[in-house]
Amino acid sequence: MSNRLRGKTILITGASSGIGRSTAFEFARSCPEDLKLILTARRINSLKQIATDIIKEVGNGVKVLPVQLDVSDAEQIRGFVGNLPTEYKEVDVLVNNAGLVKGMAKAPDIAEEDMNITFATNVTGLINMTQAVLPIMLKRNKGNGAGDIINIGSIAGREGYVGGSIYCASKAAVRAFTDALRKELISTRIRVIGIDPGQVETEFSVVRFYGDKARADAVYAGVEPLTPEDVAEVIVFAVGRRENVVIADTLMFPNHQA
Ligand code: NDP
């Protein structure tokens, strides 16, 4: 697998924690030589620490660029992609992972602000990132592997649950966008990969209940949640397949999750 990752430039959104952070480590471990990682999120200090930790673990063969970026801000996205340093400009892999959950309440009680930030981050942010990076991949649409776009959806995009309507709607939109994009790009060498995890224990698990740990733990009754590393392994596996293989649409959840 490492041969197929060699030399790639990989851009990850939401890399400051959870699945995004683990994905950065997993790419670096799978190809510790000649790989470039662009790690983005709002918490720049966490990104810098992750960059240091990756280099410490795998060595200087991997170059890491931490960048503060709020995906809900379209201007920031365009400015960031347009001004990437020369050695990071040729993005090969975009992992659209940044996401949040706000407004866990029944539909009549959802605050407008929570609704707006959920869609601005999970949906518009992901689409804006894709629009910004796609021209780079399309220009390179010859030879092997013009690019990979990995969109992190959720099982919540496939089925609704009580109190989760806004999050579920946002992830259903991600799924629909991913499916349409894959079809639009079918004649190109760009692969579009959708990964929908079930329960994964990350910061998200508690943040979604506004820090109520007991409520967060109750969700996992009888289930051992996935780790962020489990999801990272699937992302890196998908990217590492030979060019003709697209892991198009993956639903993964812990055993025993209903
Ligand atoms: P975390 O909360 O650990 O990670 C979320 C990441 O998204 C953080 O790095 C956060 O960084 C980033 N982020 C949030 N808002 C923004 C923003 N406006 N701009 C840039 N980055 C942002 O949770 P997970 O790792 O679990 O979540 C990653 C993805 O996986 C999300 O899309 C989530 O919906 C999805 N998912 C999670 C599941 C779970 O059970 N945990 C299940 C299914 C899907 P920062 O705060 O520094 O900006």
Side-chain angles (χ1 to χ4, degrees):
M1 178 190 295
S2 62
N3 287 347
R4 297 205 188 96
L5 298 178
R6 188 176 291 275
K8 287 198 187 292
T9 300
I10 293 161
L11 195 175
I12 304 173
T13 68
S16 59
S17 62
I19 295 168
R21 176 186 180 280
S22 292
T23 302
F25 273 94
E26 187 65 24
F27 272 117
R29 287 174 187 142
S30 302
C31 185
E33 283 169 16
D34 200 13
L35 190 81
K36 282 171 234 150
L37 292 172
I38 309 167
L39 307 184
T40 72
R42 292 166 303 178
R43 285 171 292 175
I44 186 66
N45 288 340
S46 304
L47 295 175
K48 286 179 178 164
Q49 186 59 52
I50 291 165
T52 304
D53 292 346
I54 287 175
I55 304 290
K56 204 188 238 171
E57 183 178 319
V58 304
N60 283 322
V62 177
K63 303 275 174 276
V64 191
L65 178 69
V67 182
Q68 186 168 43
L69 176 72
D70 183 340
V71 296
S72 70
D73 184 333
E75 274 307 306
Q76 265 191 47
I77 288 179
R78 285 191 280 271
F80 152 69
V81 175
N83 292 299
L84 278 169
T86 313
E87 65 169 324
Y88 289 92
K89 263 196 189 319
E90 286 296 324
V91 177
D92 296 289
V93 179
L94 168 63
V95 184
N96 272 320
N97 165 74
L100 50 70
V101 58
K102 290 251 192 225
M104 292 285 278
K106 289 192 181 168
D109 303 322
I110 297 164
E112 188 178 351
E113 192 189 340
D114 288 340
M115 186 163 61
N116 290 341
I117 192 65
T118 302
F119 273 81
T121 309
N122 297 2
V123 185
T124 323
L126 180 145
I127 295 172
N128 284 332
M129 276 305 300
T130 306
Q131 282 192 320
V133 171
L134 208 42
I136 300 171
M137 295 181 177
L138 284 169
K139 222 188 303 167
R140 211 178 35 227
N141 189 28
K142 54 185 182 311
N144 276 350
D148 291 321
I149 298 172
I150 296 98
N151 290 341
I152 304 302
S154 169
I155 190 173
R158 301 181 185 226
E159 56 184 64
Y161 55 87
V162 174
S165 59
I166 287 305
Y167 180 67
C168 294
S170 77
K171 290 298 186 178
V174 168
R175 184 162 160 74
F177 177 72
T178 303
D179 191 42
L181 184 68
R182 180 165 45 244
K183 289 170 184 157
E184 287 177 10
L185 295 174
I186 236 153
S187 66
T188 74
R189 289 174 178 272
I190 298 167
R191 299 184 295 191
V192 180
I193 294 162
I195 298 176
D196 291 349
Q199 295 170 349
V200 189
E201 193 156 29
T202 62
E203 289 180 13
F204 174 101
S205 316
V206 183
V207 169
R208 68 181 148 174
F209 297 121
Y210 305 97
D212 184 341
K213 179 87 168 66
R215 205 173 152 201
D217 288 346
V219 173
Y220 298 143
V223 176
E224 181 193 332
L226 298 176
T227 65
E229 290 77 18
D230 292 326
V231 183
E233 282 173 9
V234 173
I235 295 170
V236 176
F237 175 83
V239 173
R241 295 310 85 208
R242 73 186 177 86
E243 198 207 341
N244 196 38
V245 180
V246 188
I247 310 287
D249 185 19
T250 297
L251 172 64
M252 59 181 294
F253 44 69
N255 202 2
H256 309 307
Q257 179 176 346

